[in-house]
Amino acid sequence: YLEAVCRHIKEAGALAPGYQVDTVYFGGGTPALLVPAQAAALIEAANPLPGAEITLEANPDVVTPETLRGFRAAGVTRISFGVQSADDAQLRRLGRTHTAAGAAQALAWAREAGFPEICGDIMLALPEYTNAEFDRTLALLRDGGCTHISAYLLKVEPGTAFYRNPPAGTRRQIFTCMPCSSSRPQATGSMRSATLPTLATRGGTIFCTGTAAIIGASALPPTAVWAMCGGSGPTTCRDLSRVPWP
């Protein structure tokens, strides 16, 4: 599989002569299941420019101090953890396998591994969500050294296991259109509004997804903005060759 992805990266790159790679992003939430040597091979295939931003997404419970040091040595400059919440009951409700303490540990290991950029995801307006849960989650990410926080609303896709079997007692809440819900738009907006100045005082940035009315003009974009991009792998969304992955 790894060899096929490397071939695909090189084939797609040949279709864009003159373009140079200044950003590499290992997405999908689970790239940390790779061993560092595999990540290094993929980075080499992409042939990024010196100083390129190279991001790897990771679930907090699959990394170790050794793998994080390995990813950093492989060239990864930015580690992004899917923390989502600092409430263990909420994490279980979402089907997540890590705990708040485990997320804090992973953030500490990332700092020790020397990552210049540490990122964390936070989900807002979840079932049974409270301002206290938001405050705890933001504090966990802030105190963990995150330089960037991405805030999302829960979106349940039809056909997924979470869609078919939502947590007991939360079906109505989950299936409500999140940013437009008459029961929670004000709370969601206030949580997002509070996030920006809180993190800004620590020198970080936040990127919110959702409606512009909720985000506000002060939300900052991700570190890099992709003018042209290509993707490789079975779930890639874009291919420079415009040929779907088989």
mmCIF file of all heavy atoms in Angstrom, residues 29-36 56-68 71 79-81 97-98 102-103 106 109:
data_model
loop_
_atom_site.group_PDB
_atom_site.id
_atom_site.type_symbol
_atom_site.label_atom_id
_atom_site.label_comp_id
_atom_site.label_asym_id
_atom_site.label_seq_id
_atom_site.Cartn_x
_atom_site.Cartn_y
_atom_site.Cartn_z
ATOM 1 N N GLY A 29 -7.250 11.672 10.402
ATOM 2 C CA GLY A 29 -7.355 11.366 11.819
ATOM 3 C C GLY A 29 -6.440 10.271 12.324
ATOM 4 O O GLY A 29 -6.072 10.261 13.497
ATOM 5 N N THR A 30 -6.058 9.321 11.431
ATOM 6 C CA THR A 30 -5.308 8.154 11.912
ATOM 7 C C THR A 30 -3.926 7.980 11.291
ATOM 8 O O THR A 30 -3.370 6.870 11.362
ATOM 9 C CB THR A 30 -6.126 6.872 11.662
ATOM 10 O OG1 THR A 30 -6.428 6.785 10.254
ATOM 11 C CG2 THR A 30 -7.413 6.889 12.456
ATOM 12 N N PRO A 31 -3.311 8.990 10.672
ATOM 13 C CA PRO A 31 -1.987 8.768 10.065
ATOM 14 C C PRO A 31 -0.914 8.341 11.056
ATOM 15 O O PRO A 31 0.093 7.762 10.646
ATOM 16 C CB PRO A 31 -1.645 10.129 9.461
ATOM 17 C CG PRO A 31 -2.943 10.802 9.251
ATOM 18 C CD PRO A 31 -3.800 10.347 10.385
ATOM 19 N N ALA A 32 -1.104 8.613 12.344
ATOM 20 C CA ALA A 32 -0.095 8.221 13.328
ATOM 21 C C ALA A 32 -0.030 6.709 13.502
ATOM 22 O O ALA A 32 0.845 6.205 14.216
ATOM 23 C CB ALA A 32 -0.363 8.899 14.671
ATOM 24 N N LEU A 33 -0.929 5.966 12.845
ATOM 25 C CA LEU A 33 -0.807 4.508 12.847
ATOM 26 C C LEU A 33 0.351 4.064 11.959
ATOM 27 O O LEU A 33 0.805 2.926 12.054
ATOM 28 C CB LEU A 33 -2.117 3.867 12.363
ATOM 29 C CG LEU A 33 -3.316 4.036 13.303
ATOM 30 C CD1 LEU A 33 -4.576 3.460 12.668
ATOM 31 C CD2 LEU A 33 -3.051 3.379 14.648
ATOM 32 N N LEU A 34 0.822 4.966 11.077
ATOM 33 C CA LEU A 34 2.046 4.694 10.339
ATOM 34 C C LEU A 34 3.212 4.658 11.323
ATOM 35 O O LEU A 34 3.164 5.287 12.377
ATOM 36 C CB LEU A 34 2.313 5.797 9.313
ATOM 37 C CG LEU A 34 1.344 5.975 8.142
ATOM 38 C CD1 LEU A 34 1.654 7.281 7.425
ATOM 39 C CD2 LEU A 34 1.439 4.799 7.182
ATOM 40 N N VAL A 35 4.262 3.959 10.951
ATOM 41 C CA VAL A 35 5.498 4.078 11.722
ATOM 42 C C VAL A 35 6.266 5.250 11.127
ATOM 43 O O VAL A 35 6.071 5.612 9.963
ATOM 44 C CB VAL A 35 6.328 2.773 11.686
ATOM 45 C CG1 VAL A 35 5.537 1.635 12.285
ATOM 46 C CG2 VAL A 35 6.772 2.449 10.265
ATOM 47 N N PRO A 36 7.127 5.893 11.898
ATOM 48 C CA PRO A 36 7.834 7.066 11.390
ATOM 49 C C PRO A 36 8.574 6.833 10.078
ATOM 50 O O PRO A 36 8.617 7.727 9.219
ATOM 51 C CB PRO A 36 8.791 7.403 12.532
ATOM 52 C CG PRO A 36 8.055 6.966 13.763
ATOM 53 C CD PRO A 36 7.377 5.703 13.349
ATOM 54 N N LEU A 56 0.876 16.177 10.552
ATOM 55 C CA LEU A 56 0.410 14.809 10.718
ATOM 56 C C LEU A 56 -0.692 14.797 11.773
ATOM 57 O O LEU A 56 -0.490 15.261 12.895
ATOM 58 C CB LEU A 56 1.557 13.892 11.123
ATOM 59 C CG LEU A 56 1.214 12.400 11.234
ATOM 60 C CD1 LEU A 56 2.273 11.542 10.541
ATOM 61 C CD2 LEU A 56 1.101 11.973 12.698
ATOM 62 N N GLU A 57 -1.868 14.294 11.407
ATOM 63 C CA GLU A 57 -2.965 14.159 12.365
ATOM 64 C C GLU A 57 -2.764 12.885 13.187
ATOM 65 O O GLU A 57 -2.227 11.884 12.696
ATOM 66 C CB GLU A 57 -4.309 14.098 11.646
ATOM 67 C CG GLU A 57 -4.716 15.412 11.004
ATOM 68 C CD GLU A 57 -6.128 15.371 10.454
ATOM 69 O OE1 GLU A 57 -6.766 14.292 10.488
ATOM 70 O OE2 GLU A 57 -6.598 16.424 9.985
ATOM 71 N N ALA A 58 -3.219 12.937 14.440
ATOM 72 C CA ALA A 58 -3.035 11.784 15.321
ATOM 73 C C ALA A 58 -4.134 11.737 16.364
ATOM 74 O O ALA A 58 -4.587 12.776 16.847
ATOM 75 C CB ALA A 58 -1.675 11.863 16.021
ATOM 76 N N ASN A 59 -4.551 10.532 16.689
ATOM 77 C CA ASN A 59 -5.395 10.350 17.860
ATOM 78 C C ASN A 59 -4.477 10.280 19.080
ATOM 79 O O ASN A 59 -3.403 9.647 19.028
ATOM 80 C CB ASN A 59 -6.225 9.070 17.745
ATOM 81 C CG ASN A 59 -7.353 9.218 16.741
ATOM 82 O OD1 ASN A 59 -7.935 10.289 16.606
ATOM 83 N ND2 ASN A 59 -7.650 8.150 16.027
ATOM 84 N N PRO A 60 -4.858 10.900 20.186
ATOM 85 C CA PRO A 60 -3.949 10.986 21.331
ATOM 86 C C PRO A 60 -3.491 9.648 21.887
ATOM 87 O O PRO A 60 -2.394 9.557 22.450
ATOM 88 C CB PRO A 60 -4.771 11.762 22.368
ATOM 89 C CG PRO A 60 -5.743 12.566 21.570
ATOM 90 C CD PRO A 60 -6.092 11.684 20.408
ATOM 91 N N ASP A 61 -4.305 8.602 21.731
ATOM 92 C CA ASP A 61 -3.975 7.339 22.383
ATOM 93 C C ASP A 61 -3.141 6.391 21.527
ATOM 94 O O ASP A 61 -2.871 5.259 21.953
ATOM 95 C CB ASP A 61 -5.246 6.631 22.853
ATOM 96 C CG ASP A 61 -6.218 6.353 21.721
ATOM 97 O OD1 ASP A 61 -6.138 7.040 20.686
ATOM 98 O OD2 ASP A 61 -7.061 5.445 21.858
ATOM 99 N N VAL A 62 -2.713 6.821 20.335
ATOM 100 C CA VAL A 62 -1.912 5.920 19.508
ATOM 101 C C VAL A 62 -0.454 6.351 19.439
ATOM 102 O O VAL A 62 0.363 5.648 18.843
ATOM 103 C CB VAL A 62 -2.485 5.800 18.072
ATOM 104 C CG1 VAL A 62 -3.917 5.294 18.105
ATOM 105 C CG2 VAL A 62 -2.372 7.114 17.319
ATOM 106 N N VAL A 63 -0.119 7.493 20.038
ATOM 107 C CA VAL A 63 1.270 7.961 19.985
ATOM 108 C C VAL A 63 2.009 7.589 21.260
ATOM 109 O O VAL A 63 1.422 7.368 22.310
ATOM 110 C CB VAL A 63 1.332 9.491 19.774
ATOM 111 C CG1 VAL A 63 0.709 9.871 18.439
ATOM 112 C CG2 VAL A 63 0.661 10.245 20.922
ATOM 113 N N THR A 64 3.324 7.535 21.134
ATOM 114 C CA THR A 64 4.220 7.309 22.273
ATOM 115 C C THR A 64 5.338 8.338 22.173
ATOM 116 O O THR A 64 5.512 8.970 21.119
ATOM 117 C CB THR A 64 4.820 5.897 22.247
ATOM 118 O OG1 THR A 64 5.687 5.781 21.098
ATOM 119 C CG2 THR A 64 3.742 4.828 22.167
ATOM 120 N N PRO A 65 6.116 8.517 23.224
ATOM 121 C CA PRO A 65 7.263 9.429 23.103
ATOM 122 C C PRO A 65 8.188 9.033 21.955
ATOM 123 O O PRO A 65 8.724 9.897 21.244
ATOM 124 C CB PRO A 65 7.954 9.300 24.463
ATOM 125 C CG PRO A 65 6.867 8.901 25.404
ATOM 126 C CD PRO A 65 5.967 8.012 24.606
ATOM 127 N N GLU A 66 8.350 7.720 21.752
ATOM 128 C CA GLU A 66 9.256 7.239 20.710
ATOM 129 C C GLU A 66 8.717 7.547 19.317
ATOM 130 O O GLU A 66 9.476 8.004 18.439
ATOM 131 C CB GLU A 66 9.480 5.735 20.861
ATOM 132 C CG GLU A 66 10.247 5.315 22.102
ATOM 133 C CD GLU A 66 9.411 5.420 23.381
ATOM 134 O OE1 GLU A 66 8.167 5.362 23.290
ATOM 135 O OE2 GLU A 66 10.023 5.575 24.464
ATOM 136 N N THR A 67 7.415 7.285 19.087
ATOM 137 C CA THR A 67 6.876 7.549 17.751
ATOM 138 C C THR A 67 6.840 9.048 17.466
ATOM 139 O O THR A 67 7.107 9.468 16.333
ATOM 140 C CB THR A 67 5.469 6.954 17.584
ATOM 141 O OG1 THR A 67 4.580 7.507 18.571
ATOM 142 C CG2 THR A 67 5.501 5.437 17.716
ATOM 143 N N LEU A 68 6.555 9.853 18.454
ATOM 144 C CA LEU A 68 6.543 11.294 18.234
ATOM 145 C C LEU A 68 7.938 11.811 17.893
ATOM 146 O O LEU A 68 8.104 12.647 16.996
ATOM 147 C CB LEU A 68 5.975 12.013 19.454
ATOM 148 C CG LEU A 68 4.465 11.872 19.639
ATOM 149 C CD1 LEU A 68 4.031 12.389 21.006
ATOM 150 C CD2 LEU A 68 3.700 12.615 18.532
ATOM 151 N N PHE A 71 8.512 10.769 14.282
ATOM 152 C CA PHE A 71 7.819 11.606 13.296
ATOM 153 C C PHE A 71 8.517 12.954 13.151
ATOM 154 O O PHE A 71 8.641 13.486 12.049
ATOM 155 C CB PHE A 71 6.356 11.807 13.695
ATOM 156 C CG PHE A 71 5.496 10.587 13.504
ATOM 157 C CD1 PHE A 71 4.676 10.130 14.530
ATOM 158 C CD2 PHE A 71 5.491 9.903 12.304
ATOM 159 C CE1 PHE A 71 3.874 9.014 14.363
ATOM 160 C CE2 PHE A 71 4.698 8.775 12.112
ATOM 161 C CZ PHE A 71 3.888 8.325 13.149
ATOM 162 N N ILE A 79 2.085 18.696 14.536
ATOM 163 C CA ILE A 79 1.303 17.543 14.958
ATOM 164 C C ILE A 79 -0.084 18.033 15.362
ATOM 165 O O ILE A 79 -0.221 19.053 16.047
ATOM 166 C CB ILE A 79 1.992 16.790 16.124
ATOM 167 C CG1 ILE A 79 1.281 15.461 16.424
ATOM 168 C CG2 ILE A 79 2.120 17.657 17.369
ATOM 169 C CD1 ILE A 79 1.706 14.339 15.523
ATOM 170 N N SER A 80 -1.121 17.349 14.892
ATOM 171 C CA SER A 80 -2.495 17.792 15.140
ATOM 172 C C SER A 80 -3.280 16.674 15.817
ATOM 173 O O SER A 80 -3.500 15.611 15.224
ATOM 174 C CB SER A 80 -3.168 18.181 13.823
ATOM 175 O OG SER A 80 -4.485 18.650 14.045
ATOM 176 N N PHE A 81 -3.704 16.914 17.058
ATOM 177 C CA PHE A 81 -4.402 15.899 17.848
ATOM 178 C C PHE A 81 -5.913 16.104 17.823
ATOM 179 O O PHE A 81 -6.404 17.221 18.013
ATOM 180 C CB PHE A 81 -3.929 15.933 19.300
ATOM 181 C CG PHE A 81 -2.527 15.457 19.512
ATOM 182 C CD1 PHE A 81 -1.517 16.330 19.876
ATOM 183 C CD2 PHE A 81 -2.212 14.112 19.340
ATOM 184 C CE1 PHE A 81 -0.220 15.886 20.071
ATOM 185 C CE2 PHE A 81 -0.911 13.657 19.536
ATOM 186 C CZ PHE A 81 0.084 14.544 19.899
ATOM 187 N N THR A 97 -11.552 6.725 21.862
ATOM 188 C CA THR A 97 -10.873 5.741 22.694
ATOM 189 C C THR A 97 -9.859 6.341 23.654
ATOM 190 O O THR A 97 -9.265 5.622 24.451
ATOM 191 C CB THR A 97 -10.172 4.694 21.811
ATOM 192 O OG1 THR A 97 -9.312 5.368 20.876
ATOM 193 C CG2 THR A 97 -11.189 3.869 21.040
ATOM 194 N N HIS A 98 -9.659 7.663 23.590
ATOM 195 C CA HIS A 98 -8.710 8.293 24.503
ATOM 196 C C HIS A 98 -9.452 8.945 25.671
ATOM 197 O O HIS A 98 -10.682 9.039 25.661
ATOM 198 C CB HIS A 98 -7.850 9.335 23.779
ATOM 199 C CG HIS A 98 -8.613 10.517 23.278
ATOM 200 N ND1 HIS A 98 -9.284 10.527 22.059
ATOM 201 C CD2 HIS A 98 -8.831 11.751 23.816
ATOM 202 C CE1 HIS A 98 -9.849 11.694 21.876
ATOM 203 N NE2 HIS A 98 -9.612 12.459 22.934
ATOM 204 N N GLY A 102 -5.152 11.231 28.899
ATOM 205 C CA GLY A 102 -4.326 10.719 27.816
ATOM 206 C C GLY A 102 -4.001 11.788 26.788
ATOM 207 O O GLY A 102 -2.889 11.833 26.245
ATOM 208 N N ALA A 103 -4.966 12.672 26.526
ATOM 209 C CA ALA A 103 -4.725 13.770 25.590
ATOM 210 C C ALA A 103 -3.684 14.733 26.147
ATOM 211 O O ALA A 103 -2.790 15.191 25.426
ATOM 212 C CB ALA A 103 -6.033 14.509 25.298
ATOM 213 N N ALA A 106 -0.315 13.165 25.707
ATOM 214 C CA ALA A 106 0.152 13.217 24.323
ATOM 215 C C ALA A 106 0.670 14.609 23.972
ATOM 216 O O ALA A 106 1.692 14.744 23.279
ATOM 217 C CB ALA A 106 -0.974 12.816 23.374
ATOM 218 N N TRP A 109 4.094 14.978 25.523
ATOM 219 C CA TRP A 109 5.101 14.245 24.751
ATOM 220 C C TRP A 109 5.460 14.991 23.470
ATOM 221 O O TRP A 109 6.621 14.995 23.050
ATOM 222 C CB TRP A 109 4.578 12.854 24.411
ATOM 223 C CG TRP A 109 4.530 11.918 25.569
ATOM 224 C CD1 TRP A 109 5.228 12.004 26.745
ATOM 225 C CD2 TRP A 109 3.731 10.725 25.664
ATOM 226 N NE1 TRP A 109 4.917 10.952 27.565
ATOM 227 C CE2 TRP A 109 4.006 10.144 26.938
ATOM 228 C CE3 TRP A 109 2.817 10.096 24.821
ATOM 229 C CZ2 TRP A 109 3.394 8.970 27.356
ATOM 230 C CZ3 TRP A 109 2.205 8.930 25.232
ATOM 231 C CH2 TRP A 109 2.491 8.363 26.492
#
